[in-house]
Amino acid sequence: MGLRHGAARARLTRRAHSAPGLRWRVAVSALVLLMTLLALSAGALLGLVTVLTSALDWYQQATSDLPSATQLASRPVFQTTQIYDRHGTLLYEIYDREGGRRKLVALDEVAPVMIQATLAAEDASFYENPGVDARSVVRAVWQNLVHRDVMSGASTITQQLVRNVLLSSAEREQQTLLRKIREAALALQVNERYTKDEILEMYLNEVYYGDMNYGIGAAAEGYFGKSPRDLTLAEASLLAGLPQSPTAYNPRLHYEEARQRQRYVLEQMVRNGFIDEAMALRAWEEPLQLAEARPDVLRAPHGVFYVRDLLEQKYGTRLLYQGGLQVYTTLDLPLQEQLEAIAKANEANLRARGGSNTAIVAIDPLTGEILAMVGSMDYWNPEIQGEVNVTTALRQPGSSIKPVVYLAAMEKAGLTPGTVLDDSRRCFDGGRGQPPYCPNNYDNTFRGPVTLRTALGNSLNIPAVEALERVGVPAAVEMANRLGLVSLQYSPNVGLSFTLGGAEVKPLELTAAYATLATGGRRLPPMAIRRVLDGHGRVVEEVRPALGEQVVDPRLAYMITSILSDNNARLITYGPNSLLKLSRPAAVKTGTTDNHRDTWTVGYTPNLAIGVWVGNTDGRPMREVLSSMSAGKIWHEAMEASFEVLELPVADFARPDGLVEVQTCQGALCSVDLMLAEQAARLRAAVVPTPGPPTGQ
């Protein structure tokens, strides 16, 4: 590296002083002598002993209330928290707006040329001096004598560190000899307590480089988009010149001034033997490519702020905003951006139907990881209240809650896909003090006896209410909670309208409930964070793969999946080639509230679950709209795009053991459908053979 006689290389590795106590005593003696000169300059006519005594007393009083040097190691250092997607792409930085960005780095993570440039620019004798530069202190005293003011006086790296960290904000701004003496005394103490490498590392992480960048980690990323270990000599010499005047030398604002300061740093590096003139010339002539100015990065905004809220609840605001956390989320940015584009591309289609917003959430059923969270069509659009994350807002689910009701009826009342229900115009008991409940089908058509498969596949309302009446609202709510709809609470006021979406759910939770069906009833709560590191790179939290909890019989979950993935079961309502049909096996259910305030489509494959909501953020009703042509269209596009982006293999739903196919008849309606093996056995046992004619024996 062109280091003269190896001396400069030794400066970068030397860690201890041979006689720290002696250096301390020499330094104190020098300070006392300086105080004596100060006293003499004031015109003191006392004897020499009196002068020395007065100087000592003054020095002791001036330094009696100094903060402890130990505070350097325990000082609170704000750092920038960075949130990444699952692939390590930066999504957002959370930093102290009163301060700036900071990323702590170890000294061995900084390029040697950056260390050399810093020493040349700020304190070439750093590895030899005791924390103060005697020449600068003498100069300060002399200027105090001549000008009655501290006109100048370069500070060592150690002095700069203690001034910025240990002295109060008010004192560090004072241009007085008293502050200079106190600063020097503290620097001597720090030099005694810490190694040179420790002091230099603290300095490089503390110093301000301008443009909201504190510390060399943030400065290297902010100005050149790289780690400090990868800085070139040209880049390092530019950065090393900034701390003297971060605004005046800011290369984004004052490029020529920054270049002249860079020239000075290179000259100092040559003068102090860190590099030779040829190296300096090559560095000066090297084109500097500043990274694009970094506005606040914000990708996947709803997902990012969802994660931020989780972090704040768990770790508190101080650690979140100043702790330098590195947070790796479950979000997949390529998928997120694809789904955001799909939502935006459907804007005209929704507006034609009186809707202005949509929300999409994608979950990996096998892990519970949230892969994408599109909380609105456009986060930046205030006209649709785009900043509101609808995936975590309460909305009425319409008929998309019906699978939960039928699952509860299968578990508690023994219903099967072949159970016959009555799709006839009728009223149900509304409960104590309530009028009769008289639901209607969406098309005002009634089909008489139908199987449960036909009723759910075509989203018929009357059979769904009958199923809920058989099992009871509390049982249906309890099933919903088990599946993952944890915000849903039982209320006696809901009644049988629950099965038509009379309660409110969160799109995120409803999608998670469908994901539980995709895994055969094994629930994995939605997860948004994979790994959290602290400011020193130590693991704070790491989520291990979980098996989940089996919350419902997998055979019952499969029977619901069998219906929702059966294109023939929904022919009456949707036809053979609706947008609910994908290029691979998939289970899906739509939902629309009576007043058309909300439309839904939620569905899944064995390896992906996606929920789509469409409506207006403020709850204004849309014009009459089919969910399959609004939310269903978006769901279809989102699923197909996700298969490609995530490279998901085609998979069919695995049928668990313990299911049999049995023919059942009720009146003239017969069907062959799934049934639990034990139900089939009981059914066969209940059939008594008709006695045959006498044999005549």
Side-chain angles (χ1 to χ4, degrees):
M1 296 294 293
L3 304 181
R4 185 180 56 191
H5 307 305
R9 185 184 302 275
R11 292 182 190 131
L12 300 182
T13 57
R14 190 178 303 129
R15 296 186 58 83
H17 309 302
S18 57
L22 177 60
R23 291 179 183 271
W24 166 255
R25 289 191 294 273
V26 170
V28 170
S29 299
L31 284 172
V32 171
L33 177 59
L34 291 171
M35 295 306 102
T36 302
L37 292 173
L38 179 63
L40 290 172
S41 70
L45 300 177
L46 303 175
L48 181 59
V49 174
T50 303
V51 170
L52 288 173
T53 301
S54 298
L56 278 171
D57 289 343
W58 185 89
Y59 176 77
Q60 290 174 352
Q61 291 176 13
T63 60
S64 62
D65 61 343
L66 287 176
S68 171
T70 60
Q71 293 179 19
L72 269 180
S74 60
R75 75 196 191 283
V77 179
F78 74 82
Q79 298 183 64
T80 302
T81 288
Q82 296 176 313
I83 298 179
Y84 302 92
D85 86 332
R86 66 193 300 113
H87 306 296
T89 302
L90 181 65
L91 301 178
Y92 187 58
E93 291 185 312
I94 302 173
Y95 59 90
D96 185 353
R97 306 292 165 166
E98 298 296 321
R101 302 180 183 91
R102 178 183 279 123
K103 183 176 182 180
L104 293 182
V105 294
L107 192 61
D108 59 11
E109 296 177 288
V110 181
V113 289
M114 184 66 219
I115 297 175
Q116 296 162 352
T118 299
L119 296 179
E122 299 294 337
D123 188 1
S125 68
F126 171 75
Y127 277 93
E128 281 76 39
N129 67 54
V132 295
D133 183 349
R135 290 171 297 182
S136 69
V137 177
V138 169
R139 182 167 59 250
V141 172
W142 173 254
Q143 289 173 337
N144 181 265
L145 294 175
V146 175
H147 301 285
R148 296 297 176 184
D149 192 11
V150 180
M151 301 297 292
S152 65
S155 296
T156 65
I157 282 175
T158 312
Q159 287 174 275
Q160 293 179 52
L161 179 63
V162 300
R163 180 195 314 146
N164 291 332
V165 176
L166 297 180
L167 295 183
S168 68
S169 57
E171 184 174 7
R172 75 175 67 121
E173 299 300 325
Q174 296 174 3
Q175 296 295 323
T176 64
L177 185 60
L178 175 61
R179 193 223 72 198
K180 196 76 173 178
I181 294 300
R182 286 168 57 82
E183 177 186 295
L186 266 176
L188 292 167
Q189 293 181 34
V190 167
N191 197 70
E192 286 292 301
R193 186 167 190 85
Y194 301 97
T195 67
K196 286 293 188 179
D197 284 357
E198 289 170 338
I199 295 171
L200 184 57
E201 181 178 296
M202 286 187 282
Y203 172 82
L204 286 170
N205 280 307
E206 188 71 37
V207 68
Y208 182 50
Y209 289 88
D211 212 28
M212 300 293 285
N213 297 307
Y214 284 82
I216 189 57
E221 288 186 0
Y223 287 112
F224 295 109
K226 59 173 60 176
S227 164
R229 63 158 45 95
D230 299 323
L231 292 169
T232 66
L233 175 58
E235 294 164 344
S237 56
L238 182 82
L239 292 182
L242 302 184
Q244 185 182 87
S245 184
T247 300
Y249 296 133
N250 184 335
R252 299 194 189 283
L253 303 176
H254 309 289
Y255 185 74
E256 290 305 318
E257 289 83 349
R259 284 279 283 163
Q260 292 308 311
R261 178 65 177 167
Q262 179 195 20
R263 180 194 290 274
Y264 167 79
V265 174
L266 289 169
E267 290 172 349
Q268 291 299 110
M269 293 182 75
V270 172
R271 178 182 177 185
N272 287 281
F274 291 112
I275 59 175
D276 57 33
E277 291 186 359
M279 295 171 67
L281 181 60
R282 286 195 297 272
W284 172 252
E285 293 177 345
E286 178 183 318
L288 286 170
Q289 186 63 47
L290 293 176
E292 186 177 345
R294 207 171 48 168
D296 287 343
V297 175
L298 180 54
R299 301 182 177 96
H302 294 104
V304 160
F305 293 137
Y306 176 76
V307 168
R308 181 195 63 182
D309 291 345
L310 293 178
L311 293 169
E312 187 170 346
Q313 292 169 21
K314 190 165 189 177
Y315 299 112
T317 56
R318 181 176 179 185
L319 186 59
L320 174 62
Y321 287 92
Q322 299 185 349
L325 301 178
Q326 299 173 57
V327 184
Y328 293 87
T329 71
T330 62
L331 298 172
D332 186 291
L333 185 59
L335 177 63
Q336 173 77 27
E337 292 178 338
Q338 184 68 51
L339 299 190
E340 288 175 356
I342 289 172
K344 190 68 175 175
N346 278 273
E347 181 177 9
N349 177 48
L350 300 186
R351 289 196 180 277
R353 292 164 169 80
S356 64
N357 203 5
T358 188
I360 311 172
V361 60
I363 293 177
D364 181 347
L366 303 176
T367 62
E369 293 180 328
I370 301 171
L371 302 175
M373 178 179 278
V374 182
S376 70
M377 183 182 293
D378 184 357
Y379 176 84
W380 308 104
N381 186 352
E383 293 182 2
I384 64 169
Q385 296 177 268
E387 74 282 0
V388 175
N389 186 354
V390 182
T391 70
T392 59
L394 290 171
R395 296 283 168 171
Q396 288 193 340
S399 294
S400 63
I401 200 69
K402 286 176 181 174
V404 176
V405 172
Y406 280 115
L407 184 59
M410 287 178 176
E411 182 182 77
K412 300 296 184 183
L415 274 61
T416 72
T419 297
V420 175
L421 301 168
D422 185 12
D423 183 30
S424 300
R425 186 187 298 274
R426 54 189 164 139
C427 293
F428 297 84
D429 183 3
R432 181 179 300 176
Q434 299 296 321
Y437 179 55
C438 305
N440 200 352
N441 283 328
Y442 73 96
D443 59 358
N444 295 314
T445 301
F446 303 91
R447 296 165 181 83
V450 294
T451 64
L452 188 153
R453 180 178 291 271
T454 298
L456 176 55
N458 292 282
S459 198
L460 305 180
N461 290 340
I462 313 302
V465 177
E466 179 185 339
L468 181 58
E469 185 182 48
R470 291 196 191 187
V471 73
V473 176
V477 172
E478 190 273 335
M479 175 61 74
N481 294 158
R482 263 194 280 158
L483 292 176
L485 288 158
V486 294
S487 297
L488 182 62
Q489 300 296 320
Y490 171 70
S491 171
N493 298 326
V494 173
L496 295 178
S497 66
F498 175 86
T499 195
L500 305 183
E504 292 184 325
V505 301
K506 296 179 179 180
L508 173 61
E509 293 182 1
L510 185 60
T511 306
Y514 275 65
T516 302
L517 295 175
T519 59
R522 182 169 53 88
R523 179 189 168 196
L524 289 145
M527 182 177 74
I529 298 172
R530 306 182 91 189
R531 195 166 185 242
V532 178
L533 306 179
D534 68 10
H536 300 281
R538 297 171 298 207
V539 176
V540 175
E541 174 185 345
E542 188 163 18
V543 179
R544 302 292 183 182
L547 295 176
E549 178 186 1
Q550 192 71 41
V551 296
V552 69
D553 189 325
R555 299 174 298 172
L556 300 179
Y558 179 82
M559 288 196 286
I560 294 294
T561 295
S562 171
I563 298 171
L564 298 182
S565 60
D566 184 355
N567 195 56
N568 291 326
R570 53 176 175 257
L571 292 177
I572 297 173
T573 298
Y574 302 100
N577 296 304
S578 74
L579 289 169
L580 304 184
K581 185 178 180 181
L582 300 183
S583 61
R584 62 182 67 188
V588 59
K589 183 70 186 73
T590 63
T592 304
T593 55
D594 288 340
N595 50 23
H596 299 286
R597 295 182 190 274
D598 309 273
T599 67
W600 301 72
T601 300
V602 190
Y604 54 92
T605 62
N607 45 26
L608 178 67
I610 289 183
V612 175
W613 167 90
V614 164
N616 294 300
T617 311
D618 60 7
R620 286 180 294 109
M622 298 176 285
R623 289 183 285 279
E624 186 170 350
V625 55
L626 289 176
S627 57
S628 60
M629 296 303 295
S630 53
K633 180 177 182 291
I634 296 173
W635 177 83
H636 180 100
E637 295 171 0
M639 291 291 286
E640 294 290 355
S642 299
F643 298 150
E644 183 176 346
V645 172
L646 300 175
E647 300 181 345
L648 295 178
V650 176
D652 208 343
F653 297 103
R655 175 172 164 170
D657 294 335
L659 285 173
V660 295
E661 294 181 359
V662 177
Q663 177 174 321
T664 57
C665 296
Q666 182 170 329
L669 182 59
C670 294
S671 66
V672 177
D673 216 323
L674 296 170
M675 185 179 291
L676 301 182
E678 57 267 30
Q679 284 179 303
R682 289 194 298 269
L683 184 63
R684 285 192 294 267
V687 177
V688 180
T690 302
T695 62
Q697 298 296 324

